[in-house]
Amino acid sequence: MLQALTIKQFAIIESLEINFSNGLTVLSGETGAGKSIIIDAIGQLVGARASQSFVRHGEQKSTIEGVFDIDNVPNVNKILQNLDIDVDEDFLFVKREIFASGKSLCKLNNQNVTLAELKTVMQELLDIHGQHETQVLLKPKYHLTLLDNYADGKYQKEIDNYINVYESYRIKKQELEKLESQDQALLQRLDLIKFQRDELHDANLKEDELDFLNQEIKKLQNHEKISESLNKAHLFLSSEENIPDKIYELNQEIQNINDIIPDKYTAFSEELDQMYYTLEDYKHELYNDLTNNEFDESLLNEYESRLNVLNDLNRKYGKSIPELIKYRDKIDDEIFKIENYEQSTTQLREEIQSLHEEVLEKGKLLSTKRRKIALKLRDRLIDEVQNLHMQDANIEIAFTETSPGKNGLEEIEFLISPNKGEPLKSLNKIASGGELSRIMLALKSIFVSNKGQTAILFDEVDTGVSGRVAQKMAEKMYQISQSIQVICISHLPQVAAISDNHLYITKETVNDRTITSIKQLVGDDKIDEIARMISGVEVTELTKQHAKEMIIQNKN
């Protein structure tokens, strides 16, 4: 659950600190006071998209911090451990900073995380329901997702099996379509890549050949200089004042000292000994290189000609030699496929047909599982909406068969008949704002037990309802709050009266700046606010009495 929230320099909020409790918390206040802004701020903690417009005018950044109780949410602890985030098994500290530049930072337990990582953690803790989520209910393409979420993994194996087979089927179909659509183009391309294939094969490319050629050409071009240096180096080691011999003689004298003073220059003697033999070896190697260092003009011409060939290929194709070798091998394979086009397409069609049959098999199995769960969801929905003062409502989850798609072999749509005698119709054709609010609240009450979250936020979910319906919705939100923490913005006195906690949002002008503040209402203050919500403008003793009775009645 959300225990504490701190908001600084966010929209019209200069600074707010709010402590939340278990149960049902209501946020009320005049329109424009900043109620929805608080929900927006909480939204930043769960990974909503940041905007520089959130930063209070004239400030450098906005800061939103939240403290969440995660004592009974083992999933969150596991996710945090997987992300290498320090884990406090009791609390999670969440922070979001939004800068005037538009950039933002996310932190969990004071460690920087990505927005995706923040969402992964927070979706286990908090669900925010606003007007956008209500509109989603009107779009049938989301209804299948709702059903699958309600299933809570009961047929996840069937979904995975279907998706795996469908993806193979889709890829093979795309491959066939590409082959068929490029039939003529393939023949034209065949002529081109055959020429390229022959040219590259005739070139007999080797990966390290360029380095070898450059080195050999440089060696031949500098033949005289190399010979001169080899000769001088060899003479240096073979002259009358022979360096190796001098080192040998020096070593003899050092050994004489060692015979008198044991171990005095042992290490020095060993190094001189090694040096002597090393110089002797190099003297012979220099001599061999000198005698073998012959200039071969024809070989130089051959190497330079070969280098020109390779450089021309490099410029022509815009690829290095290793890349040309890979390209040559690639077009070998492509030529084989094109020349065996008919055989390839025949085999591909057979594979597609086999996969199509498997897709239908897996899809029908998934559909059977979905239909069983759909019946349970429909029955629960009917019970919930009828409990929300829609006693004559009927709901069906309609399945429409389709060709294989990424989600299965069918589309589904929630259909409703609000009153007896009326046919079932799409939600977007029949549901009023109040009916839609009730259906959404019914869904939320069902999904609360499925998702395992610890808090849910409602942003005016009770829009478009009043009277007995409002009372039923208030009771439903209170019922949900017995399982998880519920925070809601509401204009309904029925919701405020039944709430466990009531926060009143106001705004005022101080030094020509708008400032939002919050106050917890208890006792007479709560009665006065509910009376205002009942009457609108003028609060009378009668409305106060009515408000008091509502509170007493809901407590009982």
Side-chain angles (χ1 to χ4, degrees):
M1 61 167 280
L2 176 60
Q3 285 203 327
L5 177 69
T6 301
I7 308 171
K8 293 180 179 179
Q9 311 302 347
F10 186 83
I12 64 171
I13 297 175
E14 181 180 46
S15 180
L16 274 185
E17 292 186 11
I18 311 171
N19 292 316
F20 291 96
S21 305
N22 288 323
L24 173 60
T25 297
V26 168
L27 280 68
S28 70
E30 297 288 352
T31 300
K35 302 183 297 297
S36 291
I37 293 174
I38 293 174
I39 299 297
D40 288 339
I42 297 174
Q44 294 301 303
L45 295 182
V46 299
R49 185 175 180 180
S51 169
Q52 61 193 75
S53 62
F54 286 145
V55 181
R56 185 172 166 84
H57 178 68
E59 300 297 333
Q60 294 300 311
K61 69 175 181 178
S62 296
T63 305
I64 306 100
E65 297 179 85
V67 180
F68 290 82
D69 184 345
I70 59 171
D71 184 34
N72 295 313
V73 195
N75 283 351
V76 170
N77 282 306
K78 289 180 182 178
I79 295 172
L80 292 173
Q81 288 172 353
N82 291 336
L83 295 175
D84 291 327
I85 294 172
D86 294 335
V87 176
D88 182 328
E89 294 182 354
D90 295 325
F91 301 103
L92 175 64
F93 298 88
V94 186
K95 185 175 183 179
R96 189 87 182 267
E97 293 178 305
I98 307 165
F99 297 89
S101 63
K103 296 181 179 180
S104 69
L105 285 178
C106 312
K107 293 186 178 184
L108 293 174
N109 285 348
N110 208 34
Q111 291 180 233
N112 289 336
V113 294
T114 65
L115 189 61
E117 290 169 340
L118 178 68
K119 288 180 179 179
T120 300
V121 174
M122 297 309 296
Q123 70 181 1
E124 299 291 327
L125 289 172
L126 189 63
D127 179 23
I128 299 181
H129 174 79
Q131 294 299 312
H132 171 72
E133 286 73 20
T134 301
Q135 294 305 312
V136 163
L137 187 59
L138 296 175
K139 300 177 181 179
K141 67 178 181 179
Y142 294 111
H143 294 180
L144 188 62
T145 302
L146 286 172
L147 174 62
D148 289 345
N149 286 343
Y150 176 72
D152 196 27
K154 289 184 176 63
Y155 49 74
Q156 189 59 49
K157 180 181 177 182
E158 285 75 12
I159 290 177
D160 294 340
N161 289 341
Y162 174 82
I163 289 175
N164 288 336
V165 175
Y166 173 76
E167 277 301 301
S168 299
Y169 169 70
R170 183 185 63 80
I171 291 170
K172 291 292 183 182
K173 277 191 69 178
Q174 283 184 342
E175 188 177 340
L176 178 62
E177 289 167 1
K178 184 178 179 181
L179 283 174
E180 291 176 339
S181 66
Q182 294 179 345
D183 191 3
Q184 186 59 39
L186 285 174
L187 294 177
Q188 295 175 354
R189 176 165 173 76
L190 183 61
D191 290 337
L192 171 64
I193 60 178
K194 270 188 171 181
F195 173 80
Q196 293 179 338
R197 186 268 314 272
D198 293 342
E199 183 176 46
L200 293 175
H201 274 286
D202 290 344
N204 193 24
L205 302 173
K206 299 180 180 63
E207 283 208 10
D208 299 326
E209 190 176 7
L210 271 179
D211 291 339
F212 169 79
L213 289 172
N214 284 317
Q215 183 177 344
E216 291 299 311
I217 289 172
K218 185 177 180 181
K219 178 179 168 183
L220 287 167
Q221 288 175 337
N222 291 275
H223 163 263
E224 291 184 1
K225 187 176 181 180
I226 293 171
S227 292
E228 183 180 350
S229 294
L230 283 171
N231 187 50
K232 285 182 179 179
H234 181 261
L235 287 174
F236 189 75
L237 294 177
S238 307
S239 62
E240 292 181 0
E241 295 186 1
N242 191 303
I243 292 175
D245 288 347
K246 294 292 183 182
I247 290 174
Y248 180 81
E249 291 172 9
L250 172 61
N251 194 23
Q252 291 299 312
E253 297 304 326
I254 294 299
Q255 288 180 1
N256 289 336
I257 298 172
N258 284 335
D259 290 341
I260 300 170
I261 309 174
D263 299 330
K264 174 64 175 177
Y265 294 112
T266 300
F268 184 28
S269 176
E270 290 174 351
E271 289 181 11
L272 288 171
D273 195 45
Q274 180 63 39
M275 192 180 303
Y276 170 78
Y277 287 110
T278 298
L279 289 174
E280 280 293 314
D281 288 342
Y282 275 115
K283 182 171 73 173
H284 292 297
E285 185 174 341
L286 287 168
Y287 178 77
N288 290 334
D289 287 344
L290 178 62
T291 55
N292 293 323
N293 186 39
E294 298 178 355
F295 177 70
D296 188 336
E297 186 175 358
S298 63
L299 185 60
L300 175 61
N301 292 335
E302 179 186 332
Y303 285 160
E304 287 179 336
S305 176
R306 176 62 175 171
L307 183 63
N308 288 333
V309 169
L310 296 181
N311 286 333
D312 287 343
L313 288 174
N314 178 269
R315 284 191 294 270
K316 181 177 181 179
Y317 288 91
K319 299 177 185 293
S320 65
I321 298 302
E323 289 172 336
L324 282 173
I325 293 172
K326 290 180 181 178
Y327 179 66
R328 179 196 65 196
D329 296 340
K330 179 182 176 183
I331 59 177
D332 279 343
D333 184 56
E334 188 176 352
I335 289 169
F336 176 81
K337 286 183 178 179
I338 295 174
E339 290 180 336
N340 293 273
Y341 171 76
E342 287 299 329
Q343 181 180 348
S344 298
T345 53
T346 300
Q347 182 179 347
L348 197 53
R349 286 189 181 94
E350 291 174 355
E351 291 177 9
I352 289 170
Q353 180 58 35
S354 175
L355 284 169
H356 183 260
E357 292 172 1
E358 192 174 356
V359 165
L360 293 179
E361 178 188 345
K362 303 292 186 186
K364 287 175 182 177
L365 182 59
L366 173 59
S367 181
T368 300
K369 298 269 188 177
R370 276 177 170 157
R371 289 171 189 266
K372 288 181 180 178
I373 296 295
L375 291 174
K376 295 180 181 179
L377 177 57
R378 179 204 64 186
D379 292 344
R380 283 201 64 183
L381 263 177
I382 291 173
D383 288 342
E384 292 291 345
V385 298
Q386 287 181 349
N387 187 47
L388 291 170
H389 213 65
M390 293 175 68
Q391 294 90 338
D392 296 327
N394 186 28
I395 293 175
E396 285 293 343
I397 300 178
F399 282 73
T400 303
E401 291 186 7
T402 65
S403 56
K406 64 179 182 179
N407 294 318
L409 305 180
E410 67 269 316
E411 295 174 348
I412 74 164
E413 184 176 6
F414 291 6
L415 304 177
I416 183 171
S417 169
N419 304 297
K420 281 185 179 179
E422 293 185 12
L424 291 159
K425 293 183 180 180
S426 299
L427 290 175
N428 58 3
K429 292 181 180 178
I430 198 167
S432 67
E435 289 167 344
L436 198 57
S437 293
R438 281 177 277 176
I439 294 169
M440 182 55 79
L441 186 57
L443 280 169
K444 289 294 181 182
S445 66
I446 291 171
F447 280 93
V448 159
S449 58
N450 276 41
K451 296 193 74 172
Q453 292 165 325
T454 63
I456 184 169
L457 276 67
F458 290 118
D459 187 1
E460 299 187 9
V461 71
D462 47 24
T463 299
V465 300
S466 60
R468 288 181 295 172
V469 174
Q471 182 61 36
K472 286 291 185 181
M473 291 192 72
E475 291 171 359
K476 177 55 65 178
M477 280 190 270
Y478 184 79
Q479 178 187 336
I480 295 173
S481 74
Q482 302 307 296
S483 301
I484 67 171
Q485 180 189 42
V486 175
I487 302 169
C488 73
I489 292 176
S490 179
H491 295 289
L492 294 179
Q494 292 91 339
V495 178
I498 204 171
S499 67
D500 300 297
N501 312 287
H502 191 158
L503 301 176
Y504 181 61
I505 316 299
T506 60
K507 69 176 180 179
E508 60 180 331
T509 302
V510 178
N511 297 327
D512 294 328
R513 292 299 301 271
T514 301
I515 294 177
T516 294
S517 58
I518 192 165
K519 177 183 178 182
Q520 182 164 9
L521 301 182
V522 295
D524 291 341
D525 289 338
K526 181 169 183 173
I527 292 171
D528 289 344
E529 171 59 6
I530 293 173
R532 184 195 65 79
M533 297 169 79
I534 294 171
S535 63
V537 179
E538 185 178 354
V539 177
T540 65
E541 288 301 322
L542 183 60
T543 54
K544 287 184 179 182
Q545 183 60 34
H546 187 189
K548 188 175 182 179
E549 289 173 357
M550 288 178 68
I551 294 172
I552 293 172
Q553 181 181 353
N554 283 310
K555 284 184 178 179
N556 295 332

